[in-house]
Amino acid sequence: MAPSQHMFAIAPAQGRPSLSRSQLRLLRGKALWLYTAAEAGLRVVPTIAITRSAWEALEAECDSGGDTLRKVWVATLFKLVRPGARPPELVVRTSAPRHIPGLLSARVGLTAPADEFEAVDPAGPFGYAINAAFRSYGPPAPGWASETELEARANEIVIVQALASGRIAQFLTRDTVTGAPGPFPLPGKTMPDLPPDTAELMATIDATSGQHMSLLISVENGEAQMLSARSVQVSAGAQLEAAVGRVDSKVWTPADAVRRFNSAQLPQLLHPRLAAPEGARPVATGLGVSPGAASGEIVFTADDAARCRARGRHCILVVMETGPGDIEGMKAATGFVTARGGMTSHAAVVARITGKPCVAGLRTLQIDPENGTCRMGERTFSAGERITIDGNEGDIYAGSLPLSRPHIGGALSRLLDWADDTRTIAVRTNAETIDAVRTALSFGAEGIGLARSEHMFFSAERMVALRRLILSENEDDREAALEGLVDYQAADYAALFATMQGKPVTVRLFDPPLHEFLPRTEDDVEDTAASLGLSVKALRARLQRLVEVNPMLGHRGCRLVITYPEILAMQIRALVAGVETAMDNQDMPVALEIMVPFVTSAREVAWVKSRILDHIGHAEVFQRGASFSLGAMVELPRACLRAGDIAKEVDFISFGTNDLTQTTYGISRDDAPAFLATYHRKNLYDVDPFVTIDRRGVGELIQMAIERGRAVNPHLKVGICGEHAGEPNSLRFFSGLNIDYVSCSPYRVPVARMVLAQSEG
């Protein structure tokens, strides 16, 4: 678009605005709302707009002695003058799509330019005000800015208005707490007298903006004239109620409500949040890895957390890191703080499954267990002192701060049901406990996309059985250890299948990074030795033999069941027994999906597949309604490259994006927080790749694997089961990949339902 087209009337003094499509795309913030009202035939103070690129072109032309653009600008200015009237005093305002700190306040009462030269004179009051407004948008874009960023800066808008006469009034279009339609007074203000035609103006802006707005009008001769409008920050609950209300009043369709709702606000509806964090200053800041906020007494061990909970008190578990042995204490705690780890650490995953806030990667955390104290930032705390943690921002506060309650009710259910009407990609959950599964089902999960079988042993009694297996010295020892595990798993699987009532359940075969399940502390070693009937010395010798230099790339996944086939046999026995029990007690058939983890080749998959079929083939329960399918978890670059070969052996593949990101980048996901912050500051990474999927690297591998897999197996089912499957920006990318489902933590299921509907609609 030529610079001359970047100067136009939003609300001319006479008639309605006439803008091209290109000009309409430039409208944002106040300019958009003013145009909306003017286009609807409502009274709007005469207003024109000019972009930064046009103003700079005007100034450059002035220096060169030209006058083409100047004539267009003067003609545009005259559209502020009513027929037969003198040029009014002027107002200069910024018009940003959202609030930007430092934006210039309106410059009011500027004398209209006396001639065409004064209209572009940067030294005069009028030109100076326009320059100042553009400067307030921020410094020039850096040299490495993208074309999109440069275009956005060039298209920044300043609006010029005729100064309105009459009484000025300001009010809110909706209640900031309930979302009810207004008008309502501004906080701390009294409600101004408003003329009757205000209602139509307010309804027009509300329907178009879909936001809570603060409207500024002038009242003259009993009529309202719109001067300005800006959005007001309110709670997600108020936005939700307003969106549903617009549908009930026939202003929006259900599809409009889904499309216009800010999906990033959904976690606010599902978790407690800090009610008034503005006045409080955090004592330390780490990584917010699980949303929500919580207050409680500081405890330093899982046992102390359990004791605190038993006394009916809330507690925050503060530790260097967590492991499977801490699970009971984590269930008892209200929230967690860890010194190590990141978005996919043990603490973060458990927190998201259980819906509890977690701050991880708190590098300043130091714990003195002997004196029962810890240091966070510059502050020292004793056990029993109260703190508040914010798992959204990663902030930690001293004392108990007020929290807002989550907003889970009929309006949310209705909005998500509307979202499901346009969504084609299914949403499953990553869960293996009945509590987590029930939570996910209540949020609309359509199946289990990842049941981590090793997570079913996160209890003291079961941990002993699992450690007996891991620490076994020979096949006979393993066989004995496995007998106890079959009963545990069979009962667990039966309960899962019964709870899911025919919905698909994907069970991942054993994938325990062994170091996470082995005893670590002195007390833990002694207790484990006693439970296994070993001396501490003998146990230490066995532990030493199991040490791996890099256990996350070591003896895990399919490698474990290939080297120890009896472990695979145990799992299949337990699964079949669970299916049989469930089928004996329900009418709905069980839909079992077995997933082979950490594969690198089709030969690995074929080897495991043949052993599974040897056991499944003899199970009568699959002849009377229960279904079975086999898949592979694609979480290594080589598996992506060989996806065509792997697809010949399986019914489905599911991408484990956590490990795929880790192995593609060559970055330990638990150690990454130590340097990722520096990478962000130096603009080396735009986002944390463990939070938002790396589209150009990891994303390309996923896309390539899907294409190669479907090329040889057109019926191949494809899922995403890593933590990225619950993150909005990642979900938008996945929605364009021809996948069948995503699977995420229970509390992220509503987010996935909404974002996928918005992306596909």
Side-chain angles (χ1 to χ4, degrees), residues 287 289 338 340-349 352 358 360-361 363 669-673 688 690:
L287 301 173
V289 296
T338 67
R340 305 188 187 107
M343 199 70 186
T344 55
S345 65
H346 177 269
V349 172
R352 288 193 292 272
C358 178
R363 298 291 165 175
R669 64 195 193 201
D670 291 323
D671 297 327
D688 182 339
F690 293 104

mmCIF file with all atom_site columns, all heavy atoms in Angstrom, residues 287 289 338 340-349 352 358 360-361 363 669-673 688 690:
data_model
loop_
_atom_site.group_PDB
_atom_site.id
_atom_site.type_symbol
_atom_site.label_atom_id
_atom_site.label_alt_id
_atom_site.label_comp_id
_atom_site.label_asym_id
_atom_site.label_entity_id
_atom_site.label_seq_id
_atom_site.pdbx_PDB_ins_code
_atom_site.Cartn_x
_atom_site.Cartn_y
_atom_site.Cartn_z
_atom_site.occupancy
_atom_site.B_iso_or_equiv
_atom_site.pdbx_formal_charge
_atom_site.auth_seq_id
_atom_site.auth_comp_id
_atom_site.auth_asym_id
_atom_site.auth_atom_id
_atom_site.pdbx_PDB_model_num
ATOM 1   N N   . LEU A 1 287 ? 11.578 -21.371 37.988 1.00 0.00 ? 287 LEU A N   1
ATOM 2   C CA  . LEU A 1 287 ? 10.792 -21.663 36.791 1.00 0.00 ? 287 LEU A CA  1
ATOM 3   C C   . LEU A 1 287 ? 9.389  -22.097 37.204 1.00 0.00 ? 287 LEU A C   1
ATOM 4   O O   . LEU A 1 287 ? 9.235  -23.019 38.007 1.00 0.00 ? 287 LEU A O   1
ATOM 5   C CB  . LEU A 1 287 ? 11.444 -22.782 35.974 1.00 0.00 ? 287 LEU A CB  1
ATOM 6   C CG  . LEU A 1 287 ? 12.868 -22.541 35.488 1.00 0.00 ? 287 LEU A CG  1
ATOM 7   C CD1 . LEU A 1 287 ? 13.414 -23.811 34.852 1.00 0.00 ? 287 LEU A CD1 1
ATOM 8   C CD2 . LEU A 1 287 ? 12.903 -21.396 34.491 1.00 0.00 ? 287 LEU A CD2 1
ATOM 9   N N   . VAL A 1 289 ? 6.659  -24.263 36.535 1.00 0.00 ? 289 VAL A N   1
ATOM 10  C CA  . VAL A 1 289 ? 6.528  -25.453 35.684 1.00 0.00 ? 289 VAL A CA  1
ATOM 11  C C   . VAL A 1 289 ? 5.180  -26.149 35.840 1.00 0.00 ? 289 VAL A C   1
ATOM 12  O O   . VAL A 1 289 ? 4.881  -27.087 35.103 1.00 0.00 ? 289 VAL A O   1
ATOM 13  C CB  . VAL A 1 289 ? 7.669  -26.454 35.962 1.00 0.00 ? 289 VAL A CB  1
ATOM 14  C CG1 . VAL A 1 289 ? 9.009  -25.851 35.599 1.00 0.00 ? 289 VAL A CG1 1
ATOM 15  C CG2 . VAL A 1 289 ? 7.671  -26.918 37.417 1.00 0.00 ? 289 VAL A CG2 1
ATOM 16  N N   . THR A 1 338 ? 11.753 -27.001 43.955 1.00 0.00 ? 338 THR A N   1
ATOM 17  C CA  . THR A 1 338 ? 12.979 -27.784 43.800 1.00 0.00 ? 338 THR A CA  1
ATOM 18  C C   . THR A 1 338 ? 14.103 -26.896 43.265 1.00 0.00 ? 338 THR A C   1
ATOM 19  O O   . THR A 1 338 ? 13.858 -25.946 42.523 1.00 0.00 ? 338 THR A O   1
ATOM 20  C CB  . THR A 1 338 ? 12.783 -28.975 42.832 1.00 0.00 ? 338 THR A CB  1
ATOM 21  O OG1 . THR A 1 338 ? 12.550 -28.480 41.510 1.00 0.00 ? 338 THR A OG1 1
ATOM 22  C CG2 . THR A 1 338 ? 11.614 -29.844 43.263 1.00 0.00 ? 338 THR A CG2 1
ATOM 23  N N   . ARG A 1 340 ? 16.650 -28.165 41.438 1.00 0.00 ? 340 ARG A N   1
ATOM 24  C CA  . ARG A 1 340 ? 17.045 -28.665 40.124 1.00 0.00 ? 340 ARG A CA  1
ATOM 25  C C   . ARG A 1 340 ? 15.822 -28.968 39.277 1.00 0.00 ? 340 ARG A C   1
ATOM 26  O O   . ARG A 1 340 ? 14.707 -29.020 39.752 1.00 0.00 ? 340 ARG A O   1
ATOM 27  C CB  . ARG A 1 340 ? 17.889 -29.937 40.283 1.00 0.00 ? 340 ARG A CB  1
ATOM 28  C CG  . ARG A 1 340 ? 19.102 -29.764 41.188 1.00 0.00 ? 340 ARG A CG  1
ATOM 29  C CD  . ARG A 1 340 ? 19.997 -30.999 41.146 1.00 0.00 ? 340 ARG A CD  1
ATOM 30  N NE  . ARG A 1 340 ? 21.056 -30.904 42.135 1.00 0.00 ? 340 ARG A NE  1
ATOM 31  C CZ  . ARG A 1 340 ? 21.104 -31.601 43.262 1.00 0.00 ? 340 ARG A CZ  1
ATOM 32  N NH1 . ARG A 1 340 ? 20.147 -32.472 43.540 1.00 0.00 ? 340 ARG A NH1 1
ATOM 33  N NH2 . ARG A 1 340 ? 22.095 -31.453 44.114 1.00 0.00 ? 340 ARG A NH2 1
ATOM 34  N N   . GLY A 1 341 ? 16.096 -29.217 37.997 1.00 0.00 ? 341 GLY A N   1
ATOM 35  C CA  . GLY A 1 341 ? 15.029 -29.645 37.105 1.00 0.00 ? 341 GLY A CA  1
ATOM 36  C C   . GLY A 1 341 ? 14.369 -28.516 36.358 1.00 0.00 ? 341 GLY A C   1
ATOM 37  O O   . GLY A 1 341 ? 14.558 -27.337 36.664 1.00 0.00 ? 341 GLY A O   1
ATOM 38  N N   . GLY A 1 342 ? 13.585 -28.915 35.376 1.00 0.00 ? 342 GLY A N   1
ATOM 39  C CA  . GLY A 1 342 ? 12.891 -27.953 34.529 1.00 0.00 ? 342 GLY A CA  1
ATOM 40  C C   . GLY A 1 342 ? 11.481 -28.410 34.227 1.00 0.00 ? 342 GLY A C   1
ATOM 41  O O   . GLY A 1 342 ? 10.844 -29.085 35.032 1.00 0.00 ? 342 GLY A O   1
ATOM 42  N N   . MET A 1 343 ? 11.011 -28.087 33.021 1.00 0.00 ? 343 MET A N   1
ATOM 43  C CA  . MET A 1 343 ? 9.621  -28.315 32.641 1.00 0.00 ? 343 MET A CA  1
ATOM 44  C C   . MET A 1 343 ? 9.247  -29.793 32.644 1.00 0.00 ? 343 MET A C   1
ATOM 45  O O   . MET A 1 343 ? 8.088  -30.141 32.858 1.00 0.00 ? 343 MET A O   1
ATOM 46  C CB  . MET A 1 343 ? 9.384  -27.718 31.255 1.00 0.00 ? 343 MET A CB  1
ATOM 47  C CG  . MET A 1 343 ? 7.935  -27.481 30.930 1.00 0.00 ? 343 MET A CG  1
ATOM 48  S SD  . MET A 1 343 ? 7.284  -26.137 31.928 1.00 0.00 ? 343 MET A SD  1
ATOM 49  C CE  . MET A 1 343 ? 5.555  -26.194 31.477 1.00 0.00 ? 343 MET A CE  1
ATOM 50  N N   . THR A 1 344 ? 10.197 -30.670 32.411 1.00 0.00 ? 344 THR A N   1
ATOM 51  C CA  . THR A 1 344 ? 9.878  -32.099 32.326 1.00 0.00 ? 344 THR A CA  1
ATOM 52  C C   . THR A 1 344 ? 10.542 -32.889 33.437 1.00 0.00 ? 344 THR A C   1
ATOM 53  O O   . THR A 1 344 ? 10.700 -34.107 33.333 1.00 0.00 ? 344 THR A O   1
ATOM 54  C CB  . THR A 1 344 ? 10.312 -32.664 30.957 1.00 0.00 ? 344 THR A CB  1
ATOM 55  O OG1 . THR A 1 344 ? 11.701 -32.379 30.760 1.00 0.00 ? 344 THR A OG1 1
ATOM 56  C CG2 . THR A 1 344 ? 9.504  -32.040 29.836 1.00 0.00 ? 344 THR A CG2 1
ATOM 57  N N   . SER A 1 345 ? 10.941 -32.240 34.507 1.00 0.00 ? 345 SER A N   1
ATOM 58  C CA  . SER A 1 345 ? 11.527 -32.946 35.645 1.00 0.00 ? 345 SER A CA  1
ATOM 59  C C   . SER A 1 345 ? 10.452 -33.770 36.343 1.00 0.00 ? 345 SER A C   1
ATOM 60  O O   . SER A 1 345 ? 9.249  -33.599 36.121 1.00 0.00 ? 345 SER A O   1
ATOM 61  C CB  . SER A 1 345 ? 12.145 -31.955 36.621 1.00 0.00 ? 345 SER A CB  1
ATOM 62  O OG  . SER A 1 345 ? 11.140 -31.128 37.192 1.00 0.00 ? 345 SER A OG  1
ATOM 63  N N   . HIS A 1 346 ? 10.901 -34.657 37.227 1.00 0.00 ? 346 HIS A N   1
ATOM 64  C CA  . HIS A 1 346 ? 9.970  -35.508 37.954 1.00 0.00 ? 346 HIS A CA  1
ATOM 65  C C   . HIS A 1 346 ? 8.950  -34.670 38.719 1.00 0.00 ? 346 HIS A C   1
ATOM 66  O O   . HIS A 1 346 ? 7.739  -34.916 38.663 1.00 0.00 ? 346 HIS A O   1
ATOM 67  C CB  . HIS A 1 346 ? 10.748 -36.411 38.917 1.00 0.00 ? 346 HIS A CB  1
ATOM 68  C CG  . HIS A 1 346 ? 9.873  -37.290 39.768 1.00 0.00 ? 346 HIS A CG  1
ATOM 69  N ND1 . HIS A 1 346 ? 9.426  -36.895 41.012 1.00 0.00 ? 346 HIS A ND1 1
ATOM 70  C CD2 . HIS A 1 346 ? 9.343  -38.517 39.549 1.00 0.00 ? 346 HIS A CD2 1
ATOM 71  C CE1 . HIS A 1 346 ? 8.673  -37.855 41.532 1.00 0.00 ? 346 HIS A CE1 1
ATOM 72  N NE2 . HIS A 1 346 ? 8.604  -38.850 40.663 1.00 0.00 ? 346 HIS A NE2 1
ATOM 73  N N   . ALA A 1 347 ? 9.424  -33.648 39.432 1.00 0.00 ? 347 ALA A N   1
ATOM 74  C CA  . ALA A 1 347 ? 8.514  -32.811 40.219 1.00 0.00 ? 347 ALA A CA  1
ATOM 75  C C   . ALA A 1 347 ? 7.498  -32.113 39.329 1.00 0.00 ? 347 ALA A C   1
ATOM 76  O O   . ALA A 1 347 ? 6.307  -32.021 39.667 1.00 0.00 ? 347 ALA A O   1
ATOM 77  C CB  . ALA A 1 347 ? 9.313  -31.781 41.021 1.00 0.00 ? 347 ALA A CB  1
ATOM 78  N N   . ALA A 1 348 ? 7.938  -31.612 38.174 1.00 0.00 ? 348 ALA A N   1
ATOM 79  C CA  . ALA A 1 348 ? 7.041  -30.890 37.272 1.00 0.00 ? 348 ALA A CA  1
ATOM 80  C C   . ALA A 1 348 ? 5.953  -31.810 36.719 1.00 0.00 ? 348 ALA A C   1
ATOM 81  O O   . ALA A 1 348 ? 4.777  -31.436 36.664 1.00 0.00 ? 348 ALA A O   1
ATOM 82  C CB  . ALA A 1 348 ? 7.846  -30.273 36.132 1.00 0.00 ? 348 ALA A CB  1
ATOM 83  N N   . VAL A 1 349 ? 6.337  -33.009 36.319 1.00 0.00 ? 349 VAL A N   1
ATOM 84  C CA  . VAL A 1 349 ? 5.371  -33.950 35.747 1.00 0.00 ? 349 VAL A CA  1
ATOM 85  C C   . VAL A 1 349 ? 4.339  -34.364 36.785 1.00 0.00 ? 349 VAL A C   1
ATOM 86  O O   . VAL A 1 349 ? 3.126  -34.357 36.530 1.00 0.00 ? 349 VAL A O   1
ATOM 87  C CB  . VAL A 1 349 ? 6.093  -35.174 35.159 1.00 0.00 ? 349 VAL A CB  1
ATOM 88  C CG1 . VAL A 1 349 ? 5.083  -36.242 34.749 1.00 0.00 ? 349 VAL A CG1 1
ATOM 89  C CG2 . VAL A 1 349 ? 6.940  -34.774 33.961 1.00 0.00 ? 349 VAL A CG2 1
ATOM 90  N N   . ARG A 1 352 ? 1.884  -31.496 37.532 1.00 0.00 ? 352 ARG A N   1
ATOM 91  C CA  . ARG A 1 352 ? 0.847  -31.276 36.519 1.00 0.00 ? 352 ARG A CA  1
ATOM 92  C C   . ARG A 1 352 ? -0.186 -32.396 36.531 1.00 0.00 ? 352 ARG A C   1
ATOM 93  O O   . ARG A 1 352 ? -1.364 -32.157 36.257 1.00 0.00 ? 352 ARG A O   1
ATOM 94  C CB  . ARG A 1 352 ? 1.488  -31.118 35.137 1.00 0.00 ? 352 ARG A CB  1
ATOM 95  C CG  . ARG A 1 352 ? 2.218  -29.785 34.976 1.00 0.00 ? 352 ARG A CG  1
ATOM 96  C CD  . ARG A 1 352 ? 2.570  -29.515 33.525 1.00 0.00 ? 352 ARG A CD  1
ATOM 97  N NE  . ARG A 1 352 ? 3.571  -30.425 33.027 1.00 0.00 ? 352 ARG A NE  1
ATOM 98  C CZ  . ARG A 1 352 ? 4.876  -30.240 33.118 1.00 0.00 ? 352 ARG A CZ  1
ATOM 99  N NH1 . ARG A 1 352 ? 5.349  -29.160 33.721 1.00 0.00 ? 352 ARG A NH1 1
ATOM 100 N NH2 . ARG A 1 352 ? 5.726  -31.110 32.618 1.00 0.00 ? 352 ARG A NH2 1
ATOM 101 N N   . CYS A 1 358 ? 4.093  -25.841 41.099 1.00 0.00 ? 358 CYS A N   1
ATOM 102 C CA  . CYS A 1 358 ? 5.483  -26.236 41.315 1.00 0.00 ? 358 CYS A CA  1
ATOM 103 C C   . CYS A 1 358 ? 6.407  -25.165 40.748 1.00 0.00 ? 358 CYS A C   1
ATOM 104 O O   . CYS A 1 358 ? 6.207  -24.687 39.636 1.00 0.00 ? 358 CYS A O   1
ATOM 105 C CB  . CYS A 1 358 ? 5.777  -27.585 40.651 1.00 0.00 ? 358 CYS A CB  1
ATOM 106 S SG  . CYS A 1 358 ? 7.494  -28.135 40.813 1.00 0.00 ? 358 CYS A SG  1
ATOM 107 N N   . ALA A 1 360 ? 10.377 -24.945 39.936 1.00 0.00 ? 360 ALA A N   1
ATOM 108 C CA  . ALA A 1 360 ? 11.579 -25.769 39.799 1.00 0.00 ? 360 ALA A CA  1
ATOM 109 C C   . ALA A 1 360 ? 12.753 -24.885 39.383 1.00 0.00 ? 360 ALA A C   1
ATOM 110 O O   . ALA A 1 360 ? 12.593 -23.699 39.086 1.00 0.00 ? 360 ALA A O   1
ATOM 111 C CB  . ALA A 1 360 ? 11.355 -26.872 38.770 1.00 0.00 ? 360 ALA A CB  1
ATOM 112 N N   . GLY A 1 361 ? 13.930 -25.498 39.359 1.00 0.00 ? 361 GLY A N   1
ATOM 113 C CA  . GLY A 1 361 ? 15.112 -24.775 38.899 1.00 0.00 ? 361 GLY A CA  1
ATOM 114 C C   . GLY A 1 361 ? 15.418 -23.540 39.720 1.00 0.00 ? 361 GLY A C   1
ATOM 115 O O   . GLY A 1 361 ? 15.924 -22.548 39.188 1.00 0.00 ? 361 GLY A O   1
ATOM 116 N N   . ARG A 1 363 ? 17.729 -21.868 41.494 1.00 0.00 ? 363 ARG A N   1
ATOM 117 C CA  . ARG A 1 363 ? 19.181 -22.010 41.645 1.00 0.00 ? 363 ARG A CA  1
ATOM 118 C C   . ARG A 1 363 ? 19.711 -21.442 42.947 1.00 0.00 ? 363 ARG A C   1
ATOM 119 O O   . ARG A 1 363 ? 20.790 -21.825 43.404 1.00 0.00 ? 363 ARG A O   1
ATOM 120 C CB  . ARG A 1 363 ? 19.880 -21.327 40.463 1.00 0.00 ? 363 ARG A CB  1
ATOM 121 C CG  . ARG A 1 363 ? 19.521 -21.948 39.114 1.00 0.00 ? 363 ARG A CG  1
ATOM 122 C CD  . ARG A 1 363 ? 20.094 -23.341 38.978 1.00 0.00 ? 363 ARG A CD  1
ATOM 123 N NE  . ARG A 1 363 ? 19.484 -24.086 37.880 1.00 0.00 ? 363 ARG A NE  1
ATOM 124 C CZ  . ARG A 1 363 ? 19.872 -25.286 37.495 1.00 0.00 ? 363 ARG A CZ  1
ATOM 125 N NH1 . ARG A 1 363 ? 20.866 -25.882 38.114 1.00 0.00 ? 363 ARG A NH1 1
ATOM 126 N NH2 . ARG A 1 363 ? 19.267 -25.905 36.495 1.00 0.00 ? 363 ARG A NH2 1
ATOM 127 N N   . ARG A 1 669 ? 17.275 -32.220 29.583 1.00 0.00 ? 669 ARG A N   1
ATOM 128 C CA  . ARG A 1 669 ? 16.110 -31.404 29.924 1.00 0.00 ? 669 ARG A CA  1
ATOM 129 C C   . ARG A 1 669 ? 16.108 -30.983 31.383 1.00 0.00 ? 669 ARG A C   1
ATOM 130 O O   . ARG A 1 669 ? 15.481 -29.995 31.748 1.00 0.00 ? 669 ARG A O   1
ATOM 131 C CB  . ARG A 1 669 ? 14.832 -32.169 29.593 1.00 0.00 ? 669 ARG A CB  1
ATOM 132 C CG  . ARG A 1 669 ? 14.614 -33.435 30.391 1.00 0.00 ? 669 ARG A CG  1
ATOM 133 C CD  . ARG A 1 669 ? 13.538 -34.284 29.757 1.00 0.00 ? 669 ARG A CD  1
ATOM 134 N NE  . ARG A 1 669 ? 13.090 -35.351 30.633 1.00 0.00 ? 669 ARG A NE  1
ATOM 135 C CZ  . ARG A 1 669 ? 12.471 -36.445 30.217 1.00 0.00 ? 669 ARG A CZ  1
ATOM 136 N NH1 . ARG A 1 669 ? 12.245 -36.606 28.928 1.00 0.00 ? 669 ARG A NH1 1
ATOM 137 N NH2 . ARG A 1 669 ? 12.075 -37.368 31.055 1.00 0.00 ? 669 ARG A NH2 1
ATOM 138 N N   . ASP A 1 670 ? 16.805 -31.729 32.238 1.00 0.00 ? 670 ASP A N   1
ATOM 139 C CA  . ASP A 1 670 ? 16.876 -31.362 33.650 1.00 0.00 ? 670 ASP A CA  1
ATOM 140 C C   . ASP A 1 670 ? 17.962 -30.331 33.925 1.00 0.00 ? 670 ASP A C   1
ATOM 141 O O   . ASP A 1 670 ? 17.861 -29.556 34.875 1.00 0.00 ? 670 ASP A O   1
ATOM 142 C CB  . ASP A 1 670 ? 17.126 -32.602 34.510 1.00 0.00 ? 670 ASP A CB  1
ATOM 143 C CG  . ASP A 1 670 ? 15.922 -33.528 34.521 1.00 0.00 ? 670 ASP A CG  1
ATOM 144 O OD1 . ASP A 1 670 ? 14.790 -33.018 34.516 1.00 0.00 ? 670 ASP A OD1 1
ATOM 145 O OD2 . ASP A 1 670 ? 16.109 -34.754 34.514 1.00 0.00 ? 670 ASP A OD2 1
ATOM 146 N N   . ASP A 1 671 ? 19.006 -30.314 33.104 1.00 0.00 ? 671 ASP A N   1
ATOM 147 C CA  . ASP A 1 671 ? 20.108 -29.372 33.327 1.00 0.00 ? 671 ASP A CA  1
ATOM 148 C C   . ASP A 1 671 ? 19.962 -28.086 32.522 1.00 0.00 ? 671 ASP A C   1
ATOM 149 O O   . ASP A 1 671 ? 20.664 -27.105 32.775 1.00 0.00 ? 671 ASP A O   1
ATOM 150 C CB  . ASP A 1 671 ? 21.445 -30.030 32.950 1.00 0.00 ? 671 ASP A CB  1
ATOM 151 C CG  . ASP A 1 671 ? 21.741 -31.238 33.828 1.00 0.00 ? 671 ASP A CG  1
ATOM 152 O OD1 . ASP A 1 671 ? 21.345 -31.206 35.007 1.00 0.00 ? 671 ASP A OD1 1
ATOM 153 O OD2 . ASP A 1 671 ? 22.357 -32.195 33.337 1.00 0.00 ? 671 ASP A OD2 1
ATOM 154 N N   . ALA A 1 672 ? 19.052 -28.072 31.555 1.00 0.00 ? 672 ALA A N   1
ATOM 155 C CA  . ALA A 1 672 ? 18.925 -26.938 30.645 1.00 0.00 ? 672 ALA A CA  1
ATOM 156 C C   . ALA A 1 672 ? 18.642 -25.608 31.333 1.00 0.00 ? 672 ALA A C   1
ATOM 157 O O   . ALA A 1 672 ? 19.123 -24.567 30.869 1.00 0.00 ? 672 ALA A O   1
ATOM 158 C CB  . ALA A 1 672 ? 17.828 -27.227 29.612 1.00 0.00 ? 672 ALA A CB  1
ATOM 159 N N   . PRO A 1 673 ? 17.852 -25.572 32.429 1.00 0.00 ? 673 PRO A N   1
ATOM 160 C CA  . PRO A 1 673 ? 17.564 -24.260 33.033 1.00 0.00 ? 673 PRO A CA  1
ATOM 161 C C   . PRO A 1 673 ? 18.800 -23.464 33.425 1.00 0.00 ? 673 PRO A C   1
ATOM 162 O O   . PRO A 1 673 ? 18.732 -22.239 33.527 1.00 0.00 ? 673 PRO A O   1
ATOM 163 C CB  . PRO A 1 673 ? 16.734 -24.638 34.280 1.00 0.00 ? 673 PRO A CB  1
ATOM 164 C CG  . PRO A 1 673 ? 16.067 -25.914 33.910 1.00 0.00 ? 673 PRO A CG  1
ATOM 165 C CD  . PRO A 1 673 ? 17.084 -26.654 33.081 1.00 0.00 ? 673 PRO A CD  1
ATOM 166 N N   . ASP A 1 688 ? 11.883 -21.546 25.181 1.00 0.00 ? 688 ASP A N   1
ATOM 167 C CA  . ASP A 1 688 ? 12.433 -22.756 25.780 1.00 0.00 ? 688 ASP A CA  1
ATOM 168 C C   . ASP A 1 688 ? 11.894 -23.945 24.988 1.00 0.00 ? 688 ASP A C   1
ATOM 169 O O   . ASP A 1 688 ? 10.686 -24.184 24.963 1.00 0.00 ? 688 ASP A O   1
ATOM 170 C CB  . ASP A 1 688 ? 11.989 -22.835 27.245 1.00 0.00 ? 688 ASP A CB  1
ATOM 171 C CG  . ASP A 1 688 ? 12.562 -24.044 27.983 1.00 0.00 ? 688 ASP A CG  1
ATOM 172 O OD1 . ASP A 1 688 ? 12.958 -25.018 27.312 1.00 0.00 ? 688 ASP A OD1 1
ATOM 173 O OD2 . ASP A 1 688 ? 12.606 -24.014 29.220 1.00 0.00 ? 688 ASP A OD2 1
ATOM 174 N N   . PHE A 1 690 ? 11.757 -26.954 25.598 1.00 0.00 ? 690 PHE A N   1
ATOM 175 C CA  . PHE A 1 690 ? 11.066 -27.955 26.407 1.00 0.00 ? 690 PHE A CA  1
ATOM 176 C C   . PHE A 1 690 ? 9.679  -27.466 26.828 1.00 0.00 ? 690 PHE A C   1
ATOM 177 O O   . PHE A 1 690 ? 8.901  -28.230 27.381 1.00 0.00 ? 690 PHE A O   1
ATOM 178 C CB  . PHE A 1 690 ? 11.892 -28.310 27.644 1.00 0.00 ? 690 PHE A CB  1
ATOM 179 C CG  . PHE A 1 690 ? 13.168 -29.018 27.298 1.00 0.00 ? 690 PHE A CG  1
ATOM 180 C CD1 . PHE A 1 690 ? 14.380 -28.359 27.352 1.00 0.00 ? 690 PHE A CD1 1
ATOM 181 C CD2 . PHE A 1 690 ? 13.164 -30.336 26.880 1.00 0.00 ? 690 PHE A CD2 1
ATOM 182 C CE1 . PHE A 1 690 ? 15.564 -29.000 27.014 1.00 0.00 ? 690 PHE A CE1 1
ATOM 183 C CE2 . PHE A 1 690 ? 14.334 -30.991 26.530 1.00 0.00 ? 690 PHE A CE2 1
ATOM 184 C CZ  . PHE A 1 690 ? 15.538 -30.323 26.599 1.00 0.00 ? 690 PHE A CZ  1
#
